[in-house]
Amino acid sequence: MNPRCALSGLLFLLGAVMALAADAKDPRKKLVMLISEPEYETAETLPVFAAQFLEKDFRVVVVSSLAAPHENTFDKIEEIADADVLLVSTRRRTPPLAQMAVIRKHVAAGKPVVGLRTACHAFALAAKQTLPPGGAEWAEWDAQVIGGHYTGHHGHGPIVHITATTADDPILRGVTVPFDSNSWFYKVSPLRAGAKPLLIGEIPGQPIEPIAWTFKRADGGRTFFTSLGNPADFKNPSFQQLLRNGVRWAAGIAITK
């Protein structure tokens, strides 16, 4: 064997072992971000948010697919297997059955889930969509994992005025309310049994809707969800604090300002 090739191989192996050792010694919880949506640029905003607000407490891994419609296969899906928290920013994807099984296993184990905006219909087909060969749908994801009742959204334009339903929930600690958002206003009522609204929103002439809530799932796990999450929201300190707190709450980490 060429000595130079042997040395390169040894260095590669040593690097891999050192990386595994570093992961084993890392006391932070593992947060996997499952990102695949073409509308709200979360493939850019979420990693930046994580670097600013989450790296102290979490080792963050991004698992993604191409954002284009009909792209359903995720890279590095195996990263979810040992995740402490799964954050979902995905829209109407139907991954291969084996990949969906990895997601279902995380949920069935009662592990935490955080959902952002389109996560309420992450794995549900739209009315005119058909399931691709080998793909898997989870139509009950919204009811079973998110705790919502998504039926669509109001048109783009009206500013959503957001207020708190409670003053003492730790997830709202440090969140300045009221505040406004230009995210399209989601229709998510009524929430499922076990869901606790934290923020509500309103636009002129329409019923109020929950904007953020927690959900105690039937599998014993906890979910935090917010229908906010467009690029402008990520620049709002109120949203930044809300999402940081929601992730920490899901992970069972004490919330401080």
Side-chain angles (χ1 to χ4, degrees):
M1 178 183 293
N2 186 309
R4 184 171 297 176
C5 291
L7 179 59
S8 298
L10 181 60
L11 290 175
F12 176 83
L13 180 60
L14 180 60
V17 170
M18 291 177 65
L20 288 172
D23 287 348
K25 294 178 181 178
D26 194 331
R28 298 175 298 172
K29 292 180 181 288
K30 182 179 179 180
L31 171 65
V32 171
M33 294 181 165
L34 187 69
I35 303 175
S36 181
E37 56 81 21
E39 296 181 275
Y40 301 110
E41 303 176 20
T42 53
E44 288 77 39
T45 55
L46 273 172
V48 172
F49 173 84
Q52 289 180 315
F53 299 105
L54 300 178
E55 283 193 344
K56 177 182 176 182
D57 300 299
F58 298 94
R59 178 166 57 90
V60 179
V61 178
V62 174
V63 175
S64 62
S65 74
L66 295 178
H70 313 302
E71 292 289 349
N72 293 299
T73 301
F74 291 95
D75 69 336
K76 302 186 297 184
I77 195 75
E78 68 280 358
E79 292 284 357
I80 296 175
D82 64 345
D84 295 297
V85 183
L86 177 62
L87 187 154
V88 179
S89 180
T90 298
R91 180 182 183 274
R92 300 200 185 282
R93 297 307 194 223
T94 52
L97 188 60
Q99 294 201 346
M100 182 66 84
V102 176
I103 300 168
R104 283 185 174 274
K105 187 175 180 179
H106 175 94
V107 173
K111 291 185 175 183
V113 172
V114 174
L116 190 70
R117 198 138 177 87
T118 57
C120 57
H121 45 290
F123 309 112
L125 292 169
K128 295 183 180 180
Q129 283 183 301
T130 57
L131 190 66
E137 182 184 18
W138 192 345
E140 303 83 10
W141 165 269
D142 189 19
Q144 295 174 349
V145 182
I146 300 299
H149 192 264
Y150 176 78
T151 55
H153 57 72
H154 296 281
H156 185 61
I159 297 298
V160 183
H161 185 64
I162 299 164
T163 55
T165 63
T166 178
D168 59 358
D169 193 285
I171 295 178
L172 298 182
R173 191 167 294 157
V175 178
T176 301
V177 288
F179 65 95
D180 294 335
S181 171
N182 65 353
S183 282
W184 296 15
F185 194 39
Y186 274 17
K187 304 173 186 178
V188 294
S189 296
L191 298 184
R192 311 290 172 165
K196 176 187 176 183
L198 303 175
L199 297 176
I200 56 173
E202 59 181 325
I203 61 175
Q206 298 296 335
I208 63 172
E209 294 282 354
I211 290 290
W213 62 85
T214 59
F215 181 48
K216 294 181 179 179
R217 308 194 307 261
D219 53 66
R222 51 171 59 183
T223 294
F224 168 77
F225 175 82
T226 177
S227 60
L228 302 176
N230 73 15
D233 289 332
F234 275 92
K235 298 177 182 178
N236 185 332
S238 291
F239 172 78
Q240 292 170 351
Q241 188 68 25
L242 174 73
L243 184 55
R244 175 182 179 269
N245 289 353
V247 174
R248 290 171 64 88
W249 172 85
I253 298 174
I255 295 173
T256 57
K257 282 190 179 182

